[in-house]
Amino acid sequence: MKTIKRSIAAAELLLIFPAALFMTALFVRQIEPLQLEPARTAARIVTWYSGHLKVGLWIFLMALPLFVLVSGSFTLVQSWNEDAELRSAALSALAALRTQWAAFVVAAATVAAAIILAIVALHAATN
């Protein structure tokens, strides 16, 4: 069963890759001038997706992520019902989260602040 789950995980990563590539290209295209790399390559990727609506939009950005969502949800529900170790680990994690809620909130806010500052710094550097 673990081999099947690993295969599903690998397949889902492959299926979600085109959408992740597009989203990354959108971001990279904005952080540097288009005449410089990697912004130029990112702009080409975005242009290719927008020029191929049936493949780029409908398949890569909608159908494949939807398939990953549905199959991943099904796999997680099935795993939850069949795997007592998964249920125990999840419940232990929730119990630890409940007892260490303040530390979790501080950690989440710190990570969010770092991401926000990185985005603002990149934006300021490009202007």
Side-chain angles (χ1 to χ4, degrees):
M1 191 64 169
K2 280 192 175 189
T3 304
I4 293 172
K5 287 181 188 174
R6 287 181 181 162
S7 298
I8 290 171
E12 288 193 349
L13 285 175
L14 288 174
L15 292 173
I16 204 72
F17 177 76
L21 175 67
F22 177 74
M23 297 299 172
T24 303
L26 282 175
F27 176 72
V28 169
R29 183 182 69 155
Q30 296 299 317
I31 62 172
E32 289 189 36
L34 291 179
Q35 59 268 30
L36 300 177
E37 287 297 338
R40 184 181 330 163
T41 300
R44 283 182 164 168
I45 292 169
V46 171
T47 301
W48 185 90
Y49 273 76
S50 62
H52 296 84
L53 289 180
K54 287 183 181 176
V55 175
L57 176 65
W58 292 106
I59 294 175
F60 286 161
L61 297 179
M62 293 177 77
L64 293 180
L66 180 61
F67 179 77
V68 169
L69 176 68
V70 171
S71 65
S73 297
F74 176 77
T75 302
L76 287 172
V77 167
Q78 186 179 18
S79 294
W80 183 264
N81 290 333
E82 295 176 357
D83 191 349
E85 187 178 335
L86 173 65
R87 289 191 302 273
S88 175
L91 293 174
S92 295
L94 286 174
L97 181 63
R98 197 173 18 242
T99 61
Q100 298 298 325
W101 181 251
F104 174 74
V105 171
V106 168
T110 303
V111 169
I115 292 169
I116 290 167
L117 286 171
I119 291 169
V120 170
L122 289 171
H123 181 71
T126 60
N127 287 338

